Amino acid sequence: MIITPTAIEGVALLDIDPHKDERGFFARSYCPQELADAGYEFNLSQANVSYNARKGTLRGLHYQAAPTPDPKIVRCERGSIWDVALDLRPHSKTYLQWTGTELSQDNARAQIIPAGCAHGFVSLKDDSQVLYLMGAEYVADLARGVRWNDPAFSIEWPLTPEVIGDRDATYPDFEVT
């Protein structure tokens, strides 16, 4: 794996390092030891899949509150998404900053998002499928979110979402702490 830190503390891009031959290629897409050696602790707890039928489908921005925050590694297995990580950790030097990147079946890139950061994406193609490797199990009572277009964050989305769940569309304005 090729691990590239982003401007947001604890967020990194994970690229494969393919070994190619006449059959195609083979590459490691997840290795907890390589992540730990690079300073990213991640213990796989569960894996989830999100299928998004239409271009312009928005999911997020979601996070899980303490005592069970949910770090994640996100990869687009089919299609393409614009993936966003938003730092909501009040004591972080990158608090309220965000980073976005395209994840697609073509670039085979993933993004690691630490606990305390919100995550969301918008699909850039029809029939996009996203794989989430979760560092904590989902706890419904701890599920939280912030609105994708909240002026407190000024996130630059590459397109205006067309399909948004009620919950994601109606989060209140974020109150800066």
Side-chain angles (χ1 to χ4, degrees):
M1 294 185 318
I2 301 166
I3 303 169
T4 308
T6 69
I8 305 300
E9 184 177 1
V11 177
L13 302 177
L14 307 177
D15 289 295
I16 61 171
D17 186 13
H19 300 279
K20 299 177 182 179
D21 63 22
E22 66 278 356
R23 299 169 294 175
F25 74 83
F26 179 86
R28 181 176 296 137
S29 63
Y30 171 73
C31 178
Q33 188 60 55
E34 283 186 48
L35 289 168
D37 289 348
Y40 299 91
E41 293 293 330
F42 191 88
N43 296 307
L44 182 61
S45 179
Q46 67 184 45
N48 303 319
V49 175
S50 167
Y51 172 74
N52 306 277
R54 291 181 39 205
K55 175 181 176 178
T57 298
L58 179 114
R59 293 186 188 261
L61 300 157
H62 302 145
Y63 64 100
Q64 191 160 286
T68 314
D70 60 344
K72 55 190 66 99
I73 296 174
V74 180
R75 180 181 306 280
C76 185
E77 297 288 319
R78 181 172 59 199
S80 179
I81 64 170
W82 179 253
D83 198 61
V84 171
L86 170 66
D87 191 345
L88 294 178
R89 301 166 294 181
H91 302 292
S92 168
K93 64 183 176 188
T94 55
Y95 180 56
L96 300 183
Q97 295 178 31
W98 62 273
T99 186
T101 192
E102 182 177 350
L103 305 180
S104 72
Q105 69 185 45
D106 295 329
N107 68 21
R109 173 173 276 175
Q111 183 161 235
I112 186 168
I113 301 157
C117 288
H119 169 259
F121 68 84
V122 64
S123 57
L124 301 175
K125 293 183 177 180
D126 289 345
D127 298 317
S128 291
Q129 185 168 301
V130 181
L131 174 66
Y132 294 75
L133 300 181
M134 304 299 296
E137 291 185 24
Y138 176 74
V139 180
D141 291 343
L142 300 176
R144 305 285 189 274
V146 295
R147 204 174 60 253
W148 67 280
N149 61 351
D150 190 312
F153 315 125
S154 300
I155 296 172
E156 297 173 17
W157 297 92
L159 55 83
T160 301
E162 297 176 12
V163 181
I164 306 173
D166 291 340
R167 178 181 69 153
D168 293 342
T170 59
Y171 285 121
D173 282 350
F174 183 77
E175 293 184 28
V176 178
T177 57

